[in-house]
Amino acid sequence: MSTDTVAYVEGSEFDTLLSTEKVVVVDFTATWCGPCRIIAPLMEQLAEEYQGRLQVVKVDVDNNKPIFKRFGLRSIPAVLMFKDGELAETIVGVSPYEEFTAAVNKLL
């Protein structure tokens, strides 16, 4: 269930993305996760608003457990923000859109 703006990435693509994009926002999600569906439109909005300045992607935790575990995550939704390949910000749970934009603006 990929949209035009926010694509799903798999394990192999994940590290490549981090090494090629300056700022990457990763939404760790799952199809069965209700709160994940609440922030999905926020990730779409973020991708559209900051198009060309950052990359927003989703990682399905059921299909990509190693990536999920690599960052010590225990619950979803979890949005991780990377700058120059380094983890810069983590927002776990449902948060207002302003919290995501404030975190992104610090990285740009």
Side-chain angles (χ1 to χ4, degrees), residues 1-9 17 44 55-59:
M1 195 176 94
S2 188
T3 61
D4 295 335
T5 328
V6 181
Y8 277 92
V9 293
L17 188 66
E44 295 285 337
Q55 186 75 38
V56 180
V57 296
K58 289 180 181 283
V59 171

Side-chain angles (χ1 to χ4, degrees), residues 34-46:
C36 297
R37 288 194 286 275
I38 294 170
I39 70 159
L42 304 182
M43 293 300 106
E44 295 285 337
Q45 188 179 345
L46 201 66

Side-chain angles (χ1 to χ4, degrees), residues 23-51:
V23 178
V24 182
V25 177
V26 184
D27 175 14
F28 285 87
T29 187
T31 52
W32 48 263
C33 168
C36 297
R37 288 194 286 275
I38 294 170
I39 70 159
L42 304 182
M43 293 300 106
E44 295 285 337
Q45 188 179 345
L46 201 66
E48 287 172 21
E49 191 173 323
Y50 290 90
Q51 198 167 9

Side-chain angles (χ1 to χ4, degrees), residues 37-97:
R37 288 194 286 275
I38 294 170
I39 70 159
L42 304 182
M43 293 300 106
E44 295 285 337
Q45 188 179 345
L46 201 66
E48 287 172 21
E49 191 173 323
Y50 290 90
Q51 198 167 9
R53 294 189 285 166
L54 57 77
Q55 186 75 38
V56 180
V57 296
K58 289 180 181 283
V59 171
D60 185 313
V61 297
D62 291 330
N63 299 335
N64 296 282
K65 283 190 174 60
I67 300 174
F68 186 66
K69 290 186 172 136
R70 182 164 122 196
F71 298 105
L73 297 171
R74 289 195 287 281
S75 62
I76 53 174
V79 176
L80 276 57
M81 300 182 184
F82 297 85
K83 182 171 184 170
D84 300 319
E86 297 294 316
L87 178 60
E89 190 83 38
T90 303
I91 301 171
V92 178
V94 176
S95 298
Y97 183 67

